Amino acid sequence: MTATLADAMAAFTPTLPLAVAFSGGADSTALLLACAEKWPGQVHAIHIHHGVQAAGDDFERHCQAVCVRLGLPLVVKRVDARHASGQSPEDAARRARYKAFEAVALVEYAQVAIKSIALAQHADDQVETLLLALSRGAGLPGMSAMPASWRRAGLTYHRPLLGVAASDIRRWLVGRGVAWIEDPTNVDEQFTRNRIRARLLPALDATFPQFRDTFVRSAAHAAQAQAVLLDVAAQDLAHIGDPPAITQLQALSRPRQANVLRHWLNTAFQAVPSTAQLAELLDQIAVCTTRGHQIRIKVGTGLCERRGAVLHWYNPAVLL
């Protein structure tokens, strides 16, 4: 059974003072209000103005009015969230938000040493993320969906409402007579996530009423399994060396080779191989039994190649 907002907040114990990402929508409004009630004088609001829709100025004014009414400090950060060619709008906006959070914590709030930031994604968002990952053929990292907490650039991020249904959050706000704003892009079905929300979630609700609980639980199982794989990958990488020795790689099973190579490429270079790229690399490693055998394969945005007894990865564009 999904948690209530009260239960979620009771279990939420971040390092204070805390900043809440505040869009003005229902979810972030509930999170901001609940945090302000639990930790008076210890909560700050951050509003990110993405600059990509005309309603952005209205959102900002609404957030300012709410924070004045609640007596909460608010920082508005304007970012350029336009996406580059080949980049998804969601990814561009997410990257811009993280840069803004880091800038706010390091500059505007330096005097109060913000170390924790709370985001308002909930159980419905977690289900949407899992369904998106499944539709793309994702592995365990994708099926793990969104983590409840993680660290990035010296900040700890939290999603305390991941176990709370969207409908429960709205009922909580209505019961308190608190208003929020609706982002018009949330009903634009040109975005896959919005189509999932509008078409699939109602069907799942009708067919499997407990789907939020079971899907969130499946994501948690996937995250736990992925954590084990990361531990194994770290141990294997320590054994085979960095850069990886080809003969040491060959002593591992193919699944462990794939696991440790993904880990090495991601942690050392932020390179993510496609399924086809990784399969080709593994095939080449398997037949690399002579000194003259060359390996040079595109992996992510760069090239993975054999240099003597080891593998190397580099991005040719960076070397120009």
Side-chain angles (χ1 to χ4, degrees):
M1 184 173 182
T2 52
T4 65
L5 190 142
D7 290 339
M9 289 303 302
F12 183 33
T13 56
T15 301
L16 300 175
L18 170 73
V20 176
F22 181 42
S23 69
D27 314 319
S28 65
T29 298
L31 180 59
L32 181 64
L33 180 57
C35 288
E37 290 178 352
K38 185 172 182 179
W39 299 291
Q42 295 289 311
V43 176
H44 307 258
I46 302 175
H47 177 73
I48 308 298
H49 191 308
H50 292 87
V52 294
Q53 56 175 308
D57 291 341
D58 293 334
F59 298 161
E60 179 181 332
R61 283 189 288 270
H62 172 84
C63 291
Q64 289 172 336
V66 169
C67 289
V68 167
R69 194 160 59 247
L70 295 176
L72 295 175
L74 169 70
V75 168
V76 176
K77 197 72 177 176
R78 290 177 175 258
V79 301
D80 182 358
R82 291 173 296 181
H83 63 286
S85 176
Q87 183 184 30
S88 76
E90 281 185 336
D91 183 56
R94 182 168 52 250
R95 290 175 183 271
R97 282 195 297 273
Y98 281 126
K99 288 182 180 178
F101 293 146
E102 291 159 18
V104 167
L106 293 175
V107 181
E108 282 88 347
Y109 282 160
Q111 69 273 21
V112 293
I114 290 291
K115 294 296 182 185
S116 303
I117 294 181
L119 308 176
Q121 284 93 356
H122 46 67
D124 294 56
D125 293 321
Q126 187 74 314
V127 169
E128 292 164 15
T129 301
L130 177 58
L131 289 171
L132 276 170
L134 290 171
S135 73
R136 295 165 180 164
L140 283 177
M143 289 189 288
S144 300
M146 295 181 289
S149 63
W150 73 102
R151 286 188 61 78
R152 177 184 175 129
L155 293 168
T156 301
Y157 290 85
H158 301 275
R159 294 187 176 106
L161 305 184
L162 274 185
V164 183
S167 57
D168 289 339
I169 292 172
R170 282 155 179 75
R171 275 196 295 271
W172 187 86
L173 287 171
V174 169
R176 289 167 166 262
V178 176
W180 66 88
I181 54 174
E182 295 287 356
D183 185 340
T185 64
N186 286 341
V187 295
D188 184 349
E189 292 192 18
Q190 70 171 310
F191 299 112
T192 306
R193 184 179 286 275
N194 290 347
R195 291 198 300 275
I196 290 173
R197 185 178 306 134
R199 304 179 191 183
L200 292 186
L201 296 196
L204 284 169
D205 219 358
T207 309
F208 305 109
Q210 301 302 316
F211 79 94
R212 290 175 182 82
D213 300 327
T214 56
F215 279 36
V216 168
R217 189 159 66 245
S218 290
H221 290 325
Q224 187 177 58
Q226 177 60 20
V228 173
L229 288 180
L230 287 176
D231 283 347
V232 172
Q235 293 170 23
D236 284 344
L237 187 59
H239 176 69
I240 66 177
D242 183 1
I246 292 172
T247 56
Q248 296 289 345
L249 271 170
Q250 290 171 332
L252 299 175
S253 67
R254 187 177 174 105
R256 283 179 73 162
Q257 288 179 33
N259 188 46
V260 72
L261 286 172
R262 283 195 199 95
H263 178 67
W264 170 61
L265 290 164
N266 187 37
T267 55
F269 311 106
Q270 291 75 57
V272 180
S274 69
T275 300
Q277 289 170 347
L278 187 58
E280 184 181 0
L281 180 57
L282 293 173
D283 289 344
Q284 289 298 313
I285 289 169
V287 297
C288 187
T289 57
T290 64
R291 253 182 224 179
H293 187 97
Q294 298 300 308
I295 297 176
R296 194 169 190 269
I297 296 169
K298 178 174 173 56
V299 174
T301 57
L303 295 169
C304 193
E305 65 179 22
R306 177 184 181 179
R307 294 183 188 174
V310 299
L311 287 176
H312 279 264
W313 184 95
Y314 68 99
N315 185 343
V318 174
L319 301 179
L320 295 177

